[in-house]
Amino acid sequence: MNDAGTGDGNGGSTAMYSDVCARLDEIRGVVPTDRRPELEEILAALRGSGDPSGPRTELHRLLRLSGVAAGLRAFRGAGIGGLPAAVEGHPVVEAYVCPRGRCDRRSPARNQPVPPVCGLYGEPLCRRGVS
């Protein structure tokens, strides 16, 4: 492999999935056209059921080679948070969540009748109670 620096935006794999899901259009926008087939291979590997650490490292490397100095870390925190913590005696908050249960992306459902679409699988996020 090409040495593009160390670090792969390491963190929980569910957080990595949500970052890719929520910001896939941005990620595709920075990858040059001639490297899109490589990106699609990496995304196919992420969609699979195997260990995501290899594809995560490859995506980080590809982003670095595409001119994103921070690689995958530049796309962290997308679509996560913004939901209040569950407090005893308060109602459960509803949010749109990953349709496959593979990531921790959450998007508040309040005032959002149409669910966002999962960037990785192309499916609408599912409305669930989040505590």
Side-chain angles (χ1 to χ4, degrees):
M1 290 281 142
N2 215 339
D3 183 40
T6 58
D8 63 355
N10 204 5
S13 64
T14 59
M16 181 275 306
Y17 279 115
S18 62
D19 295 341
V20 173
C21 171
R23 298 183 68 185
L24 187 54
D25 288 341
E26 289 177 67
I27 290 170
R28 280 193 170 114
V30 299
V31 174
T33 304
D34 63 327
R35 291 197 171 264
R36 294 278 169 80
E38 183 179 356
L39 174 62
E40 294 306 319
E41 286 179 26
I42 292 167
L43 294 175
L46 286 173
R47 289 181 191 106
S49 60
D51 180 4
S53 61
R56 176 179 53 216
T57 299
E58 289 302 304
L59 180 56
H60 178 74
R61 180 191 63 78
L62 178 59
L63 290 168
R64 298 270 323 251
L65 291 172
S66 299
V68 180
L72 191 53
R73 288 185 301 271
F75 298 93
R76 267 206 173 150
I80 304 169
L83 297 176
V87 178
E88 191 173 329
H90 288 271
V92 172
V93 173
E94 285 195 331
Y96 292 111
V97 299
C98 180
R100 306 254 181 136
R102 291 187 50 117
C103 81
D104 63 356
R105 181 177 177 192
R106 300 179 298 174
S107 179
R110 185 177 181 178
N111 300 324
Q112 192 173 189
V114 177
V117 174
C118 171
L120 201 53
Y121 294 100
E123 300 169 4
L125 299 184
C126 298
R127 191 176 186 132
R128 297 277 188 267
V130 180
S131 58

